[in-house]
Amino acid sequence: ELLSRQLDERGVPHSVLNAKPEFAEREGETIAEAGAPGVVTIATNMAGRGVDIKLGGNAEHQTHLELAKLGLAPEQPEYDEMWDETFTKVEGQVAAAHEQVVEAGGLFILGTERHESRRIDNQLRGRSGRQGDPGESRFYLSAQDDLVRLFAGERIYKILDRLGATDEEGEEQPIEAGLLTKQIEGAQRKVEEQNFLIRKRVLEYDDVMNQQREVVYGYRDRILEGEDISQTARERLADAVDRLCREYMASEHSEEWELPAMFTQLEQMYPTAIAVEDVDPDAVERESLIVELREDVVRAYEEREQELGSGLMRALERYTLLQIIDDRWREHLHDMDYLREGIHLRGFAQIDPLVAYKNEAYEMFRGLMNTIWEEFGRFLFHVDVQVESDNGDAPAPPTGQTWTPTSSSSSTSSLSYSGGTAADQPSALAAARQAGPVGDRTDAMAQNGDGYVDGAVEEAVSVPAVQTRRVDESERVGRNDPCWCGSGRKFKKCHGA
């Protein structure tokens, strides 16, 4: 935009192509006109790879402009008829303009700086001299450019001092030398190597998370595909018991074993068949006790499966493990991000941050998997499963408005509602049904102490018995629908208030 203002001051017509909306929306039109004779285009990297500038202009684009001047739009029937005639005429004009541009030397690329990557410069050069057309490119650099100043400053300055020429007024003259070009390319090569190392280091950090992600997602895929994970669960629960035992029996001397604390932790995971009183530290070996406890947790698992049934056990395994994995994996991702933010500080202690990151990430992942299976065991052995019948043969719920949540979920979608029967409705309505005339009904209700009802009682007599219904999880109760509780009122004036 600075160059655009300078060209405006000198009266040079031109067009600008950059990422700003007012210019980007005219990108196609700007590119199509960039090859016409005498056209000046100021562009950023948007005019790099993939841009084909045709010398002489674009015949189709100019035909569209000519038809637009005539007031024709593509959806009009006359548009196609005029297109063939106008396109032939414009095509001849474009061919003549092409010859004019070729005679002038073709497309000239003028670069005001060198990019950090040689690839970008080569893409810009490649806009000219395409498909046998002539063209030329030239770059102008300043010794104060970031590329020169940061990566080739001292050497470039020495060359300028030695070869630099000045005019009669003492102004420095531009220098064109192969030595300068090589120095600039050397600076670009250094920048590219530095950027490559940065990307490589980022990839190495990402590989750590990718390996962990493959393990966790492997479990999730097996669960979602309905694979039987019972054998895997047995092995992992036995491993969890093994780790717990070795933690409390780490010492080689039985006097230092913490057996009461160990059995307390085991009982929180599963109902142990072995009590701490049955274990004599002086008469039992550590490895034999660990093997016995591993077998004990597998037996408890099989007993739990016999209690619930194979089908329900498989469903409970999948639901429980999937929920635990998702929750713990989200927490692990936050912990890994926190570790990644500060791991570079290990460099001050002469420790490679990447090595430290891999080591700590491995320990955190081991802790994650151990926590998942320990929590899985605690939930699987202690959850109270209640199966609701779908065939209507279940015993009738107690009268009155009650709700019964399942112990395995706190969601209200699993609640069962009951509103009682017509005989259980307030005594005022019962008295209204039994009484005769309106006066007798009001007297009867007054004597029962249930309040006074006016002439609207006549309508109450014909009110049908209130029916309750069970709301499905996917069903949504409308505001004007009857409330699910069986009160007979609209949902918006009852439980939806």
Side-chain angles (χ1 to χ4, degrees):
E1 294 179 356
L2 175 63
L3 295 175
S4 177
R5 290 193 295 269
Q6 293 178 351
L7 291 179
D8 287 337
E9 294 174 358
R10 289 167 174 75
V12 179
H14 63 279
S15 58
V16 178
L17 177 60
N18 59 21
K20 288 191 174 181
E22 60 269 22
F23 299 117
E25 62 186 9
R26 299 183 63 252
E27 177 183 0
E29 181 180 349
T30 302
I31 297 293
E33 298 175 354
V39 174
V40 177
T41 304
I42 303 175
T44 59
N45 291 339
M46 291 183 64
R49 181 180 179 184
V51 175
D52 186 15
I53 299 177
K54 297 181 179 180
L55 301 185
N58 190 303
E60 295 181 356
H61 175 70
Q62 294 187 16
T63 302
H64 177 72
L65 294 179
E66 292 294 332
L67 294 178
K69 293 178 181 178
L70 300 176
L72 297 178
E75 59 271 8
Q76 296 179 351
E78 298 86 358
Y79 185 86
D80 294 335
E81 299 177 1
M82 293 295 297
W83 174 270
D84 297 334
E85 179 182 350
T86 307
F87 181 76
T88 304
K89 185 188 303 182
V90 171
E91 197 173 18
Q93 298 174 358
V94 170
H98 179 271
E99 295 298 329
Q100 181 182 354
V101 174
V102 170
E103 292 177 359
L107 181 65
F108 184 81
I109 303 296
L110 192 153
T112 59
E113 62 178 347
R114 294 287 284 269
H115 197 271
E116 292 182 352
S117 174
R118 291 170 293 174
R119 176 178 57 85
I120 303 298
D121 293 338
N122 293 333
Q123 289 178 359
L124 183 57
R125 291 191 184 101
R127 298 315 97 200
S128 64
R130 298 172 65 86
Q131 300 180 358
D133 292 333
E136 184 180 353
S137 63
R138 181 178 292 269
F139 285 81
Y140 289 86
L141 283 81
S142 169
Q144 281 74 38
D145 287 347
D146 292 338
L147 178 66
V148 178
R149 180 172 52 85
L150 296 177
F151 296 95
E154 294 297 330
R155 286 169 291 182
I156 292 293
Y157 296 153
K158 291 179 181 180
I159 296 174
L160 293 178
D161 294 339
R162 186 172 66 250
L163 303 178
T166 57
D167 56 12
E168 299 177 354
E169 300 178 356
E171 296 291 338
E172 294 181 351
Q173 296 295 314
I175 301 174
E176 182 176 359
L179 184 59
L180 283 175
T181 302
K182 292 181 180 179
Q183 293 295 333
I184 296 300
E185 290 180 353
Q188 289 178 311
R189 191 178 297 109
K190 289 182 179 180
V191 177
E192 292 172 359
E193 292 174 356
Q194 181 178 4
N195 293 337
F196 171 76
L197 292 177
I198 293 174
R199 293 193 300 271
K200 180 182 177 182
R201 182 54 61 96
V202 172
L203 181 61
E204 290 174 343
Y205 279 102
D206 288 344
D207 283 342
V208 177
M209 280 302 303
N210 188 51
Q211 294 174 2
Q212 298 182 4
R213 189 179 295 109
E214 289 177 354
V215 175
V216 173
Y217 280 30
Y219 279 115
R220 294 190 80 257
D221 291 342
R222 291 174 59 188
I223 296 172
L224 295 176
E225 292 171 0
E227 182 179 340
D228 186 357
I229 61 171
S230 58
Q231 185 60 34
T232 303
R234 290 185 176 90
E235 297 174 357
R236 296 297 177 266
L237 290 175
D239 293 340
V241 171
D242 191 307
R243 287 190 300 271
L244 192 61
C245 293
R246 296 186 185 279
E247 179 181 351
Y248 286 92
M249 295 189 300
S251 176
E252 296 293 337
H253 304 285
S254 60
E255 295 82 3
E256 299 179 4
W257 293 353
E258 303 177 21
L259 294 181
M262 183 186 74
F263 275 91
T264 300
Q265 294 295 327
L266 291 175
E267 290 172 357
Q268 292 180 2
M269 181 184 299
Y270 77 100
T272 58
I274 304 174
V276 65
E277 295 82 6
D278 301 334
V279 179
D280 185 3
D282 299 329
V284 68
E285 295 182 357
R286 179 175 57 181
E287 295 301 327
S288 61
L289 179 59
I290 293 177
V291 172
E292 188 175 356
L293 289 172
R294 287 176 64 99
E295 296 174 353
D296 183 53
V297 71
V298 174
R299 285 194 299 270
Y301 185 88
E302 295 173 351
E303 293 174 359
R304 184 64 167 168
E305 183 174 354
Q306 294 176 0
E307 176 186 352
L308 298 177
S310 177
L312 181 57
M313 188 67 170
R314 299 290 87 79
L316 183 60
E317 289 171 350
R318 289 193 293 269
Y319 172 80
T320 303
L321 189 56
L322 185 63
Q323 184 68 30
I324 295 174
I325 288 177
D326 290 346
D327 293 341
R328 295 295 169 261
W329 177 246
R330 283 193 294 265
E331 297 176 0
H332 180 71
L333 291 179
H334 289 297
D335 295 339
M336 291 294 292
D337 289 340
Y338 183 76
L339 175 65
R340 177 70 178 86
E341 291 176 359
I343 198 65
H344 65 278
L345 299 176
R346 302 294 179 89
F348 292 107
Q350 304 300 317
I351 299 175
D352 187 355
L354 179 60
V355 175
Y357 180 77
K358 289 182 177 180
N359 293 335
E360 296 205 12
Y362 175 72
E363 295 299 328
M364 292 174 61
F365 186 70
R366 284 184 56 190
L368 167 69
M369 300 308 297
N370 295 342
T371 302
I372 287 176
W373 289 108
E374 290 173 5
E375 188 171 346
F376 171 77
R378 284 193 294 269
F379 190 92
L380 187 71
F381 286 109
H382 294 90
V383 66
D384 184 12
V385 181
Q386 294 184 1
V387 182
E388 295 184 355
S389 176
D390 296 332
N391 55 10
D393 296 332
T399 58
Q401 301 178 9
T402 61
W403 61 274
T404 307
T406 61
S407 61
S408 60
S409 174
S410 61
S411 174
T412 55
S413 61
S414 61
L415 302 184
S416 301
Y417 301 95
S418 174
T421 61
D424 298 323
Q425 299 306 313
S427 58
L429 295 179
R433 293 190 188 94
Q434 297 173 0
V438 176
D440 297 337
R441 291 196 295 269
T442 55
D443 292 339
M445 284 181 286
Q447 295 174 2
N448 290 334
D450 292 324
Y452 182 80
V453 181
D454 55 12
V457 176
E458 296 180 359
E459 299 179 2
V461 177
S462 60
V463 174
V466 177
Q467 297 182 355
T468 62
R469 60 194 180 93
R470 181 177 173 186
V471 180
D472 187 74
E473 181 178 358
S474 60
E475 183 180 359
R476 202 172 173 183
V477 181
R479 287 179 53 78
N480 292 320
D481 294 341
C483 188
W484 43 259
C485 69
S487 63
R489 291 183 292 178
K490 292 183 178 180
F491 178 72
K492 65 181 180 182
K493 294 185 177 181
C494 190
H495 280 76

